[in-house]
DNA sequence: TAGATTGTTAATCGATTAACAATC
DNA sequence: TAGATTGTTAATCGATTAACAATC
């Protein structure tokens, strides 16, 4: 939190993976693990594990390794797990509805509190515990509570206006499932999930020599 | 296709993005573009664009730039777009159903030809143009046609057995939406979409200083 | 021909890996 | 204490950027 040293995105993206492996170890009652053992499980070097973790603190102990529970909790803290974020889903199409109903997010403290669309045919329709609301009511909705993340699951052509709207309402994080890149102010954090890009990458791997 | 020089995954992952920008230019009737102009649009260096493209051939012309239509088609070829892949979805939960109904894939030649589940409550249920089939029928289904990609959208605990099954049936590509990493033979191509990891990364960005 | 812009080599930067002293 | 394993510095590797000769 503002202590200067900038941590690279490559490191950050590995943290959730560490978190998953540690959770599994914890569930299997493994109390401690060395960077070498973890390295074998995760198919990365022990050196990288130690380097990654030391960006955030000294969580291990010489001659012992890492306490699984402690490390799991520390990484959770770093990632902001369990801080009870509020999410709204913009777009009640296939993807939007699926995400709104997805239960794994809630477990980690990511609560989806609303889903919006501009299509009268879906407004009012139940989606899990929620009901699709008119996008026109977004202002009132967000105004009355704090929303941390907007999930964008709308067609490309609607993206710029939707983005302006949610940013104006003070939402600071965007989880972007749309097919376009966002051009947002620097204080807005964006995480893209470009599904078609991902599928095309797989398609490339299939039609060409293996890539590293 | 086996001409020796290995292209890094970092480059490959940028190709779908180039493809999107070129498609947009094409739709806007832009006939040609220089690496510098494209660089400004995409927020990457012109140098990187030229380096990336030259991994695959000399698509530009000195003093002119790149022909948009030609470059779009070339990148499509490299990525294997339009080669009419067959996909099956394993798991008819929220995500599985959403992906099965997602229309953007078909446009690029990725045809979803079946969706399977082991839950009697959803078997037989219509999903878009498809009907959820019993996972037990997977063998017959795949045996009678060629399937290129299996989309894994099932709970972690079912992943190992499902993976063994689809690999035994000769499927060479796995698009993995499950929460675990796959341990597959080297000739199987895997592309992961770890949604929770992605959300946790966003969560990190929100609770810490901006990352590059 | 002159101007523009590529293709490509060379320089830089950052990330990964190796090595080892510190220390539990 | 001896053995194990971290934290951390140094070396290596790869990816990005800069520069420029080739050429349209």
């Amino acid at each position: 939190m503002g202590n200067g040293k900038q941590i690279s995105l490559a490191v950050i993206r590995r943290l959730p993976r560490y978190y998953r492996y540690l959770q599994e170890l914890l569930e299997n009652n493994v109390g401690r693990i060395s960077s070498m053992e973890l390295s074998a499980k995760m198919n990365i070097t022990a050196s990288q594990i130690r380097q990654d973790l030391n960006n955030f603190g000294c969580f291990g102990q010489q001659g012992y390794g890492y306490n699984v529970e402690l490390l799991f909790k520390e990484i959770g803290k770093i990632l902001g797990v369990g801080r009870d974020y509020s999410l709204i889903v913009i777009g009640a199409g296939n993807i939007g509805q699926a995400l709104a109903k997805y239960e794994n997010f809630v477990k980690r403290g990511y609560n989806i509190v609303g889903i919006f669309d501009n299509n009268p045919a879906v407004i009012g329709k139940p989606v899990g515990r929620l009901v699709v609301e008119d996008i026109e009511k977004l202002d009132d909705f967000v105004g009355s509570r704090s929303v941390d993340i907007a999930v964008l699951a709308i067609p490309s052509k609607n993206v710029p206006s939707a983005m302006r709207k949610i940013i104006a309402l003070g939402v600071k994080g965007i989880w972007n499932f749309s097919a376009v890149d966002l051009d947002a102010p620097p204080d807005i954090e964006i995480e893209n999930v470009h599904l078609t890009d991902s599928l095309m990458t797989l398609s490339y791997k299939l039609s060409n020599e293996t890539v590293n």
Side-chain angles (χ1 to χ4, degrees), chain A residues 61-194:
Chain A
Q61 200 170 49
Q62 283 95 332
Y64 172 89
Y66 298 88
N67 177 298
V68 172
E69 188 176 4
L70 181 136
L71 189 56
F72 175 72
K73 282 184 180 161
E74 287 292 346
I75 295 180
K77 256 191 258 173
I78 295 162
L79 287 168
V81 173
R83 213 172 285 172
D84 261 321
Y85 291 91
S86 283
L87 283 74
I88 52 172
V89 176
I90 313 294
N94 300 322
I95 299 292
Q97 291 196 29
L99 293 170
K101 284 189 273 185
Y102 202 52
E103 285 144 27
N104 294 25
F105 300 148
V106 183
K107 287 183 200 155
R108 293 273 156 85
Y110 305 104
N111 304 300
I112 296 175
V113 297
I115 178 167
F116 298 83
D117 207 299
N118 63 1
N119 179 1
V122 295
I123 293 168
K125 202 184 143 187
V127 173
R129 298 163 296 100
L130 302 166
V131 169
V132 180
E133 314 232 24
D134 190 333
I135 189 89
E136 295 298 324
K137 294 192 187 143
L138 193 61
D139 296 43
D140 291 347
F141 186 91
V142 176
S144 65
R145 77 195 73 196
S146 129
V147 169
D148 305 289
I149 296 172
V151 185
L152 270 197
I154 54 179
S156 303
K157 67 175 193 310
N158 300 335
V159 166
S161 69
M163 197 188 72
R164 270 195 304 276
K165 198 175 283 195
I166 57 182
I167 289 176
L169 290 168
V171 177
K172 292 283 181 247
I174 301 181
W175 202 19
N176 178 35
F177 284 78
S178 83
V180 292
D181 300 314
L182 308 182
D183 185 24
D187 66 317
I188 305 298
E189 300 296 343
I190 293 169
E191 175 73 11
N192 293 306
V193 180
H194 289 308

Side-chain angles (χ1 to χ4, degrees), chain A residues 14-24 71-73 75-77 79 81 108:
Chain A
R14 281 193 291 269
L15 293 181
R17 188 153 180 265
Y18 289 128
Y19 195 70
R20 280 193 276 119
Y21 279 82
L22 289 165
Q23 182 166 46
E24 205 203 321
L71 189 56
F72 175 72
K73 282 184 180 161
I75 295 180
K77 256 191 258 173
L79 287 168
V81 173
R108 293 273 156 85

